[in-house]
């Protein structure tokens, strides 16, 4: 067996062994992909190969903190039920000895290729003492990968105003006769930018140019990570994760951001002419999203449901990090909408329904509670200015996670200051409430919540760490709020399945 396979197997044994110890942890998510144990960050190599969906991820299989990056792996037949697979990539060669960083996947001649960044530390300062090069691995079955002997296939960052070392996260796609790839980068003065390359073979890459670049590091970030570029309903979209944008009003309060710009890529000059940066999620925990086109031509996005340097109480329980639900992207009225994929309805179990309920003051609906559910609501706010919903309520323990609607301010606020053990804070999303109607689809899991507002116009995602007994749901309004309809479904477990399930 080659050295790489031996190291990948060792990593798999480590994570599987640790995984047995944590199966009864209450905070383990029931329908979001998370590592069997230990650390996870970015989604990588998200693709559809030989009739199955593959999702790889940045993974440290030896502890619940970020360290030498491997690629963890899960697969699914329907994007809903996920089976864990062996670790796909381990650092094993001189060019990737300190980590197989983020990248993407593409099929060529019946094999699945992973393009990733090989990282090496050249000193003790992790910001300045590093070298990054782009590498390939391939597999006939989508499970066992061999690194290409030609590695690294892009050895150095190009000349010019391009930082020589921060140069990572290749996202590949094919158009006509060429493969293209974009990379995250920064200028020598630390302003984020994106590089575009092309290749006929996947092995020899030609630098085309700087596709896009920020105006300044305070406003646009000092580094653009994890770029992704695709066509959505006739429009080119660049998704990326800028680091270090300064807060502006209610925006950019997380340490780093993830969003998109609409534009047009000129494949000859490499220039991406684009509009403004827009956020893809207004919550706390959303970073480094990656998309893929599935068998039906849908553009589907998954993000890392966490944030760098955020406190993650599950680390004390030998795991860390999770993925968001798969979200389908739509382009409507000049902006992107994110909706949970329709297949998630397969998770639904017992249903509770209410119609035309008037809420005044504080209000509970008999029998409405839970910690793992989907709730879809149409709300009439014409008789209220401030109203909202409390989730994961436990009065005795003073726990609650609050969604607040403000019809005057036209905002939805997510407040996790009393959510439980994790970090607190509030985040606000601007929502046009001028027609007095609010539509919500809310996915609650054991330690996460995702809120899709006005049919995906805005999304708010948060990790929360409530007590097992914090399962209450209540409503409140200063005037009166009408629940025109409320459907709630219990959701079943669909992740961490074994090959036989
Ligand atoms: C984004 C990122 C990538 C890098 C990876 C390392 O979260 O910083 O730029 O490849 O994580 O784990």
């Amino acid at each position: 067996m080659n050295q790489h396979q031996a190291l990948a197997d060792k990593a798999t044994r480590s994570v599987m062994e640790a995984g047995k110890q944590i199966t009864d942890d209450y905070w383990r998510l029931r329908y979001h992909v998370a590592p069997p144990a230990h650390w996870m960050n970015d989604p990588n190599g998200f693709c559809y190969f030989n009739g199955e969906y593959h999702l790889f991820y940045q993974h440290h299989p030896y502890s619940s903190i970020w360290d030498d990056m491997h690629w963890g792996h899960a697969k699914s037949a329907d994007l809903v039920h996920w089976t864990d697979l062996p670790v796909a990539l381990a650092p094993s060669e001189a060019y990737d000895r300190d980590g197989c960083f983020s990248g993407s996947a593409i099929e060529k001649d019946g094999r699945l290729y992973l393009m990733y960044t090989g990282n090496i530390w050249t000193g003790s300062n992790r910001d300045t003492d590093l070298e990054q090069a782009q590498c390939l691995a391939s597999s006939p079955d989508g499970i066992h990968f061999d690194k290409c002997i030609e590695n690294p296939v892009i050895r150095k960052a190009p000349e010019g105003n391009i930082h020589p070392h921060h140069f990572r996260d290749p996202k590949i796609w094919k158009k006509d006769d060429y493969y293209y790839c974009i990379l995250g980068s920064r200028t020598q003065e630390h302003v984020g930018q994106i590089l575009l390359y092309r290749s006929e073979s996947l092995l020899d890459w030609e630098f085309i140019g700087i596709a896009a670049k920020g105006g300044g590091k305070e406003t646009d970030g000092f580094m653009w990570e994890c770029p992704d570029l695709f066509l959505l309903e006739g429009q080119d979209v660049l998704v990326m994760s800028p680091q270090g944008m300064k807060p502006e009003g209610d925006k950019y309060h997380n340490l780093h951001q993830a969003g998109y710009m609409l534009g047009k890529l000129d494949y000859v000059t490499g220039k991406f002419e684009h509009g403004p940066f827009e956020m893809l999620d207004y919550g706390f925990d959303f970073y480094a999203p990656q998309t893929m086109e599935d068998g039906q031509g849908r553009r589907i996005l998954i993000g890392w449901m966490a944030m760098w340097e955020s406190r993650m109480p599950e680390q004390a329980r030998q795991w860390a990090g999770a993925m968001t639900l798969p979200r389908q992207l739509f382009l409507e009225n000049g902006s992107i909408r994110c909706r949970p994929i329709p297949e998630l309805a397969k998770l639904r179990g017992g249903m509770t329904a209410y119609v035309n309920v008037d809420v005044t003051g504080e209000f509970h609906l008999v029998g409405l509670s839970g910690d793992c559910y989907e709730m879809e609501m149409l709300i009439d706010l014409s008789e209220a200015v401030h109203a909202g919903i409390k989730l994961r309520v436990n009065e005795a323990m003073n726990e609650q996670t609050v969604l607040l609607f403000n019809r005057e301010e036209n905002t939805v606020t997510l407040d996790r200051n009393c959510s439980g053990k994790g970090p607190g804070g509030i985040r606000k999303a601007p929502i046009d409430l001028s027609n007095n109607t609010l539509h919500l689809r809310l996915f609650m899991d054991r330690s996460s919540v995702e809120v899709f507002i006005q049919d995906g116009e805005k999304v708010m995602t948060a990790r929360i760490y409530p007590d097992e007994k914090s399962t209450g749901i209540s409503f409140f309004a200063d005037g009166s709020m009408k629940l025109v309809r409320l459907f709630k479904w219990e959701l079943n477990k669909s992740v961490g399945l074994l090959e036989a399930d």
Side-chain angles (χ1 to χ4, degrees), residues 221-238:
F222 61 83
M223 169 80 200
W224 289 359
E225 297 192 310
C226 300
D228 192 348
L229 203 147
F230 51 87
L231 195 63
L232 185 66
E233 284 146 54
Q235 174 87 63
D236 289 326
V237 183
L238 173 65

Side-chain angles (χ1 to χ4, degrees), residues 436-451:
N436 299 324
T437 311
L438 181 64
H439 180 262
L440 296 178
R441 256 182 97 188
L442 195 152
F443 288 83
M444 180 66 70
D445 203 338
R446 292 285 186 79
S447 58
S448 73
V449 59
E450 285 163 281
V451 190

Side-chain angles (χ1 to χ4, degrees), residues 41-42 58 66 69 101-102 168-169 225-226 287-288 304 308:
N41 56 289
D42 315 356
Q58 289 285 278
W66 186 88
M69 281 292 106
F101 277 19
S102 285
R168 56 178 172 269
D169 311 335
E225 297 192 310
C226 300
Y287 195 64
W304 179 35
W308 288 110

Side-chain angles (χ1 to χ4, degrees), residues 296-308:
Q296 306 159 43
R298 301 180 301 173
R299 183 57 57 175
I300 298 177
L301 171 142
I302 285 189
W304 179 35
M305 191 160 62
M307 180 50 64
W308 288 110

